[in-house]
Amino acid sequence: MSLEASRESVVSLLPAQRRQHIVDFLRRHGAVTLTQLEQALGVSVSTLRRDLDLLAADGVIDRTHGGALLRQQGYTAFEPDSIASSELSPREKRAIGEAAAAALQPWQSVIFDSGSTVLEAARAAAARGIPFTAVTNDLAIAQVLGTNSQIQVHVFGGQLRPGSQTLVGEALIESARAIQADVLLCGAHAITEGVLTETSAEVAAVKRALMRAAVSRRLLVDASKFRPRTFMQVATLAEIDEVICDDALPAEEAERIRTLGRRLTLVPVPA
């Protein structure tokens, strides 16, 4: 079923059926914002607020600022699969990826971390047609970059994570120690009070190694990633040189980043 057909079917459902769709959506993603639910389900924000309030009163979810968490699932260790992650905030991720790619310079060396937003940056970078050297631990990103013959693509060796195209492991971390790239484009599962976290210890270890391997560290995250923390700490915003986010970023989070002296790029999202 197409996404548009799916939206139409949700709109036509009875309220109880619609709320079950919301619960199913949360089971795939763990945490979502109202904007993400609106985009995915095609239901008005006012209707979604009422649905979430009722689900919270029933003890199924916990409300957060602008969204919800699935209560019966430990969110700190919850990890949606890569296909589910790619469904969230597609317009925001595309805009952020394009902004990150536009800032790259010819002949730079660039590390592409795994993740759906960094994948959008890879697509935009490949479309630009400038020559540079890329290193990645994500097979999907490597394939995208490989479509441009001007990009020299290197893939870190490591173990393939089940159900993903991401490579992890000690061999990869050791390889990262041997390089010093100009730029790292990285993502994060959550940013909470200035702390970047991941649900997986092995993913967090790789991200820390990639951060040490780059001169300029650029964090690519949409505004929904500023939410309750998850299991493993990766770094703090003080260790990031630039945050590239959509312009729905809450004002208090923007102020936190600027107070740390980090560069903040807010990207408008086309309707």
Side-chain angles (χ1 to χ4, degrees):
M1 180 183 293
S2 70
L3 181 57
E4 289 302 321
S6 177
R7 286 173 175 170
E8 289 175 6
S9 67
V10 172
V11 171
S12 64
L13 292 176
L14 295 172
Q17 294 171 314
R18 187 180 62 243
R19 287 192 285 275
Q20 184 58 53
H21 272 263
I22 293 171
V23 172
D24 291 340
F25 193 83
L26 275 162
R27 283 178 179 148
R28 299 205 316 276
H29 297 288
V32 292
T33 66
L34 279 166
T35 300
Q36 289 170 335
L37 283 172
E38 181 188 27
Q39 289 180 10
L41 303 180
V43 180
S44 72
V45 169
S46 59
T47 297
L48 288 169
R49 283 199 182 97
R50 290 193 294 272
D51 287 337
L52 293 180
D53 287 342
L54 286 168
L55 289 169
D58 289 340
V60 177
I61 67 168
D62 288 317
R63 288 299 306 271
T64 64
H65 178 68
L69 302 173
L70 191 60
R71 176 173 294 182
Q72 61 261 45
Q73 199 131 25
Y75 178 65
T76 61
F78 178 86
E79 186 173 3
D81 60 43
S82 57
I83 295 175
S85 295
S86 68
E87 295 176 354
L88 295 179
S89 306
R91 295 196 299 266
E92 289 81 356
K93 290 175 179 178
R94 191 174 306 113
I96 292 164
E98 289 172 353
L104 298 180
Q105 300 299 314
W107 312 113
Q108 282 186 320
S109 52
V110 185
I111 300 173
F112 288 79
D113 179 26
S114 61
S116 53
T117 308
V118 179
L119 176 59
E120 292 295 341
R123 289 187 176 121
R128 280 193 64 194
I130 63 170
F132 65 92
T133 298
V135 192
T136 186
N137 65 319
D138 188 292
L139 299 180
I141 288 174
Q143 288 180 321
V144 167
L145 294 170
T147 62
N148 186 331
S149 61
Q150 294 196 78
I151 303 173
Q152 186 179 88
V153 183
H154 301 266
V155 179
F156 285 113
Q159 298 171 316
L160 187 65
R161 293 193 76 210
S164 79
Q165 299 197 62
T166 303
L167 296 166
V168 294
E170 285 301 321
L172 191 158
I173 291 171
E174 187 61 33
S175 296
R177 292 192 182 105
I179 69 171
Q180 187 73 80
D182 296 311
V183 177
L184 166 67
L185 301 181
C186 65
H189 192 86
I191 303 98
T192 315
E193 297 181 351
V195 176
L196 284 62
T197 56
E198 283 290 333
T199 56
S200 161
E202 56 189 0
V203 170
V206 166
K207 287 182 184 289
R208 286 193 290 268
L210 298 183
M211 287 184 63
R212 291 191 293 267
V215 175
S216 176
R217 308 172 188 94
R218 302 173 189 175
L219 179 66
L220 280 54
V221 287
D222 64 85
S224 73
K225 293 296 183 74
F226 290 80
R227 59 191 183 188
R229 66 167 292 152
T230 51
F231 187 48
M232 295 298 300
Q233 180 168 331
V234 175
T236 66
L237 285 175
E239 299 170 76
I240 297 295
D241 297 290
E242 180 179 4
V243 177
I244 305 176
C245 186
D246 60 274
D247 56 6
L249 181 68
E252 63 271 22
E253 298 293 352
E255 180 62 25
R256 187 194 309 275
I257 294 166
R258 294 189 176 109
T259 299
L260 289 170
R262 307 298 91 179
R263 181 177 179 182
L264 174 62
T265 299
L266 294 178
V267 182
V269 179

